[in-house]
Amino acid sequence: MPLSPTFSNAITCSVNTTSPNHSELWTTICTELQNVISADAVKRWFVPLSIESYDGTTLVLHAENSIYQYWIEDSYLAQLENVVTRVLESKVKIEFSTPEAPVAEKKEPDQTIVVEEPAPRSVGMRAASGRGGPDSSVFNPRNTFETFVVGNNQFAHAAAHAVASSPARAYNPLFLHGSVGLGKTHLMQAVGHHIIKTKKHLRVAYVTSEQFTNEFISAIQHGDLIKFRKSYRLVDVLLIDDIQFLAGKERSQDEFFHTFNTLFDGSKQIVLTSDSPPNDIANLEKRLSSRFEWGMTAELSPPDFETRLAILSHKMSTMSIKLDDDVLSFIARRVKSNVRRLEGALTRVAAQTSLSDGRKLSNSSLESLLKDLLHKEVHTSLSIDVIQKKVAETYDIRLADMTSKRRPANIALPRMVAMYLSRKLTTSSLSEIGDAFGGRDHGTVLHANRSIEEKMKADDKLRQTVTFLTEKLETNREAQD
C-alpha cells in the first residue's frame, strides 16, 4: 500500500534491518494509523518503533524506551489493535520489547497486557483513581468554584468552569494570567477540585513550574528520566502554576515542550497560570509561548469596588466576628490592588476587633492599624492619567492625542511609550489600559509593549527617555506616599 503524501513527505518509518518485510508492514500500519490518529501523533509515537518479530499470532514491537509503550497502551492501543487487525486480516496479540525492564508481567495468551498506573512523584500530584481513590489533599480546600467571588472576572471564571466540566473539549490549553494575588491559583485549584469530584477516573497532576524543574533536575541526577516522564505524560489533566518561572531554564523548557506536545496530541487537558500573558514572559522560548496561545488566554483583573466588598463579605462569613458595613467599605475603598492584601487587611481588623471585645474601630484606628498596607497601596496606585500627562509633556504633544485615533509617528510613539509605562508602573489590566487609551483592545497594548521593548534595544535615545520618565514617575509617586 503506497504512503499518503502527508505521511511520506514528512516522516520515514524505522527499519528493522533483519527483515525488510517487517519494515514494509510497519510502514503500511503507520500509514493506516493516520486515518484514526493525527499525523503528528503517528510521527511522534509510532514511527520510531519497528517490528521485532511476527509469528502469525503475536506482533512484537521494539521501542527505544518504555515511554512509547506506556503512552501507546494508555492512549492509542485500541486504534493500533484495530489497524493491525485490518492490515493483517486477523486478530493478533501486540507486545512491546524495550531495553528496560518490562512494565508488566507476561500474561497468558487469552489475557490482555496490564500496564501499571503511574504513581505520583510528589505531594503536588495526585494518584489515579483506583490506587487509593481520588486525593484532593494537594489542593487548598477553600479554593473551589463555590468560594470564588467572580465580580469583574466573569470571563476567566467561565473559561475555568468550562474546562473543569469538559476537560480537553472546551479550551486546551487554558492559560490564566494576572498580577499577584488576583486568584489565578484559586481558579486553577477549583478546576482540580471539580474534576476529581465529578470525574474520579481521570488522573490529575498539580505542580508549580519550580517543582517541575526541581523534579526534572533530580531525575537527571539519578538517571530516572523515564519515571519522571511517565508521571507527567500519562495524566489526563496537568495543572501547572506560575509557568513564568520556566523562563531562562533551557533544558526544563525543552522537557516541558515535549510533555506539552504529548499531552496535547493525546487530547489531555492542560491548564497554566502566569503573572504575564505568554508573549510577555521574558526568556521563554517562542515555540512554548505560541503553544500557550493555542487554546484560551484569560486575564484576571484587579477587583472593582463592588467585587472587593463582596470578597470581604464572603470572607467575613467564615469568621466568628461581624464587622459593620462602613468598616468593610473603608477597607474596600482603600485596599484595591489584590485579593490577598484585601483579605489580609480584613483578618487584621477582625483580630483587633476581637481583642477589643467587639468594639467598633474608628477610621483613625483603622488608618493606624493598616498603615503599612495602605502605604503599599498608595505606592502602587500611580494612575494611567498621570502617566499620559507626563509622557505628553515630555514629547510636547496634546494630552488628547493619547486617546485619539490619529496615528502619525510623532503621536504613535509617545502613545506606545505611555502604554508601556502604564503596563509597567500600574496594576491595571491590559483591557483597562486599552480603555484608557481611547477604547483600544488588549492586543494593541501588548503590541505597544513589545514594540517599545524592541525599539529600546536599538535606540539609545528612546531607552534614555523611557528611563527618565520611569524615574520621574517613580519619584513623584514616592513624594505622595
Side-chain angles (χ1 to χ4, degrees):
M1 180 181 296
L3 291 175
S4 66
T6 301
F7 187 78
S8 59
N9 289 340
I11 52 182
T12 304
C13 285
S14 299
V15 176
N16 187 322
T17 55
T18 60
S19 175
N21 290 335
H22 287 168
S23 175
E24 294 172 8
L25 174 59
W26 188 235
T27 297
T28 300
I29 291 172
C30 287
T31 303
E32 288 294 311
L33 278 169
Q34 283 189 110
N35 296 323
V36 292
I37 300 173
S38 71
D40 285 342
V42 172
K43 181 179 180 180
R44 179 170 291 109
W45 294 110
F46 293 90
V47 169
L49 276 57
S50 62
I51 297 177
E52 183 170 292
S53 65
Y54 172 54
D55 60 6
T57 60
T58 302
L59 180 69
V60 179
L61 301 178
H62 175 78
E64 61 186 30
N65 62 58
S66 57
I67 280 292
Y68 292 93
Q69 178 184 356
Y70 297 149
W71 190 253
I72 290 173
E73 289 183 327
D74 189 70
S75 305
Y76 303 118
L77 187 57
Q79 295 95 318
L80 177 60
E81 288 175 338
N82 290 337
V83 167
V84 169
T85 298
R86 188 164 61 248
V87 171
L88 296 177
E89 298 181 347
S90 65
K91 190 169 181 63
V92 300
K93 182 181 179 182
I94 297 175
E95 294 183 352
F96 292 84
S97 170
T98 65
E100 297 125 352
V103 181
E105 296 179 358
K106 293 287 184 178
K107 302 294 183 181
E108 294 302 321
D110 62 341
Q111 293 178 293
T112 56
I113 298 173
V114 177
V115 181
E116 182 182 1
E117 291 178 342
R121 287 194 55 82
S122 69
V123 295
M125 299 183 67
R126 82 169 181 90
S129 177
R131 294 178 63 91
D135 176 16
S136 60
S137 62
V138 298
F139 300 121
N140 187 324
R142 296 189 298 273
N143 289 346
T144 65
F145 284 120
E146 290 73 22
T147 60
F148 185 83
V149 179
V150 179
N152 53 326
N153 284 311
Q154 299 97 328
F155 182 74
H157 176 268
H161 202 280
V163 164
S165 301
S166 301
R169 294 185 179 181
Y171 310 116
N172 198 26
L174 173 62
F175 191 98
L176 302 171
H177 69 91
S179 299
V180 174
L182 295 183
K184 302 184 297 295
T185 297
H186 188 143
L187 266 188
M188 171 177 274
Q189 291 199 3
V191 171
H193 272 299
H194 188 85
I195 290 175
I196 65 175
K197 181 179 179 181
T198 61
K199 298 174 174 59
K200 297 182 180 180
H201 63 287
L202 296 184
R203 290 162 295 186
V204 180
Y206 169 75
V207 290
T208 64
S209 63
E210 182 181 12
Q211 184 178 347
F212 178 90
T213 298
N214 290 340
E215 291 184 4
F216 176 54
I217 293 171
S218 177
I220 294 174
Q221 292 173 338
H222 296 92
D224 209 10
L225 277 175
I226 297 301
K227 187 176 180 181
F228 169 83
R229 288 167 178 162
K230 175 184 173 184
S231 68
Y232 281 100
R233 301 184 189 185
L234 292 183
V235 298
D236 299 295
V237 181
L238 178 60
L239 313 171
I240 294 201
D241 221 349
D242 293 324
I243 197 66
Q244 73 272 9
F245 291 120
L246 279 186
K249 302 177 176 69
E250 293 183 6
R251 291 198 64 181
S252 294
Q253 287 189 53
D254 185 64
E255 182 65 25
F256 186 71
F257 173 78
H258 294 294
T259 296
F260 181 100
N261 286 341
T262 297
L263 295 175
F264 187 86
D265 289 344
S267 297
K268 309 301 182 183
Q269 180 67 53
I270 303 166
V271 183
L272 310 166
T273 72
S274 171
D275 60 3
S276 306
N279 279 326
D280 275 11
I281 302 176
N283 299 317
L284 184 71
E285 292 182 9
K286 185 65 178 177
R287 59 177 182 170
L288 274 179
S289 61
S290 66
R291 278 164 172 75
F292 293 168
E293 294 180 320
W294 279 356
M296 176 63 68
T297 299
E299 180 180 17
L300 280 88
S301 304
D304 54 26
F305 175 77
E306 290 78 10
T307 303
R308 296 196 297 274
L309 204 55
I311 291 170
L312 291 172
S313 297
H314 176 79
K315 178 73 173 176
M316 187 179 66
S317 69
T318 67
M319 299 177 171
S320 58
I321 194 168
K322 181 171 176 57
L323 302 176
D324 290 346
D325 290 344
D326 55 345
V327 173
L328 296 183
S329 294
F330 176 92
I331 300 172
R333 285 195 309 270
R334 301 293 298 275
V335 183
K336 306 175 182 179
S337 59
N338 68 64
V339 177
R340 196 172 300 160
R341 189 177 294 169
L342 187 70
E343 292 183 339
L346 177 65
T347 300
R348 191 180 299 184
V349 171
Q352 183 62 37
T353 302
S354 178
L355 292 172
S356 304
D357 296 324
R359 289 195 303 272
K360 179 180 176 181
L361 297 176
S362 64
N363 282 357
S364 59
S365 296
L366 290 171
E367 290 271 5
S368 177
L369 180 64
L370 303 176
K371 182 179 179 180
D372 57 326
L373 293 180
L374 299 181
H375 177 80
K376 292 177 182 177
E377 284 295 314
V378 172
H379 186 71
T380 58
S381 64
L382 186 64
S383 71
I384 296 175
D385 290 341
V386 170
I387 293 173
Q388 290 175 333
K389 185 180 295 185
K390 182 59 66 176
V391 173
E393 291 174 356
T394 301
Y395 279 94
D396 195 22
I397 62 174
R398 298 178 307 154
L399 181 60
D401 289 331
M402 289 291 169
T403 57
S404 74
K405 301 300 181 184
R406 300 175 60 209
R407 300 179 62 181
N410 69 313
I411 293 176
L413 179 63
R415 191 159 53 212
M416 287 195 295
V417 169
M419 289 184 187
Y420 171 82
L421 292 171
S422 297
R423 179 70 171 154
K424 180 179 179 181
L425 300 177
T426 77
T427 59
S428 299
S429 67
L430 294 172
S431 297
E432 289 171 334
I433 295 173
D435 288 342
F437 283 84
R440 289 171 166 81
D441 60 31
H442 75 282
T444 302
V445 180
L446 278 177
H447 173 72
N449 273 263
R450 288 195 290 268
S451 295
I452 294 302
E453 287 174 351
E454 289 300 317
K455 289 177 183 295
M456 286 194 295
K457 294 176 183 177
D459 189 336
D460 286 340
K461 183 178 179 181
L462 175 62
R463 186 174 66 256
Q464 291 170 5
T465 300
V466 172
T467 300
F468 165 78
L469 283 166
T470 301
E471 292 175 350
K472 195 72 174 175
L473 288 164
E474 290 280 14
T475 300
N476 290 346
R477 178 167 61 182
E478 289 171 2
Q480 295 173 359
D481 287 358

